[in-house]
Amino acid sequence: MSSRRARIGRAVGALVSAAALAAAVSACAPEPDTLRPAPTDAASGTPTPTMTPVAIADFPFGPSTSTTPLPSDCKSILSDSILTTLQGIPLNAPGMGGGIRPDSSRVCVWADPGASRTSLVTVVGYSPEREARDALYLLGVDNGYLCYEPDEGLRCEKSGTDDLGLPVGRTVYWRDGVAIDTQYSNLAPQGYTAAIVSKIWG
């Protein structure tokens, strides 16, 4: 009788141990709801790329005294020849950072979300004179920009190449309380800033 009880005891003990092990494994497994697949394109089933706004350097945009109205959109500030050069390149694609800022500045992003090394970004907005002049001065003195005074305004520009040898640069133009800040990578239409100045001031 005692041997039978011993066998039953060992069997019960094994069952208890197996149940405890199963409970421990279940406790370590993640909940089904936490295992979320990467976002996919519903049509193709392929992962959807995450759009990252194009990074741009700061300039002191904000309320200023000016008689110049800001443009209503990004295309109206460009000449027909510049627009032809940019044909086929998306303007303000979703997630790329284009649009109107709270300070009323217009942000125009010409870039294909799939081409991370190619972009042309222009911010047009009001910029107070003292802050703008100080910023332009620092670009010239501390950052090696070439600064001069064309078309009744102030202009600072600098160009170079990135680690892949692609052309990169920035041009900032200020006049009558309005700043035009253009930063580009591998996309620099000839006469771009001059075309904007001509459209805004005639």
Side-chain angles (χ1 to χ4, degrees), residues 8-18:
I8 293 174
R10 287 195 295 271
V12 171
L15 289 173
V16 170
S17 298

Side-chain angles (χ1 to χ4, degrees), residues 1 4 40 54 57 90 94 96 99 130 133 138 148 153 159 188 190:
M1 187 72 175
R4 182 183 176 190
T40 60
V54 177
M96 296 299 287
R130 180 173 180 178
R133 288 181 178 274
L138 291 176
Y148 53 106
S159 61
Q190 187 68 30

Side-chain angles (χ1 to χ4, degrees), residues 14-179:
L15 289 173
V16 170
S17 298
L21 177 61
V25 170
S26 298
C28 294
E31 293 294 325
D33 287 344
T34 65
L35 298 177
R36 303 186 184 278
T40 60
D41 184 294
S44 64
T46 58
T48 302
T50 301
M51 305 306 176
T52 303
V54 177
I56 53 177
D58 291 330
F59 194 79
F61 288 96
S64 69
T65 301
S66 177
T67 60
T68 303
L70 294 181
S72 58
D73 61 83
C74 294
K75 291 187 176 180
S76 65
I77 59 176
L78 298 176
S79 64
D80 292 340
S81 61
I82 297 294
L83 288 173
T84 299
T85 301
L86 296 173
Q87 189 172 4
I89 300 174
L91 170 62
N92 290 350
M96 296 299 287
I100 300 178
R101 290 175 172 175
D103 63 7
S104 78
S105 299
R106 276 61 171 162
V107 183
C108 306
V109 180
W110 296 89
D112 187 328
S116 61
R117 291 277 185 166
T118 301
S119 63
L120 175 64
V121 183
T122 296
V123 183
V124 181
Y126 292 117
S127 180
E129 181 171 3
R130 180 173 180 178
E131 287 84 347
R133 288 181 178 274
D134 287 347
L136 290 168
Y137 175 80
L138 291 176
L139 287 178
V141 173
D142 293 345
N143 295 281
Y145 280 64
L146 171 64
C147 299
Y148 53 106
E149 301 182 22
D151 304 316
E152 302 178 43
L154 301 173
R155 174 169 172 156
C156 290
E157 59 188 32
K158 184 178 181 180
S159 61
T161 57
D162 65 10
D163 57 328
L164 295 181
L166 300 175
V168 295
R170 182 184 185 189
T171 298
V172 184
Y173 179 88
W174 183 90
R175 173 177 169 180
D176 186 34
V178 174

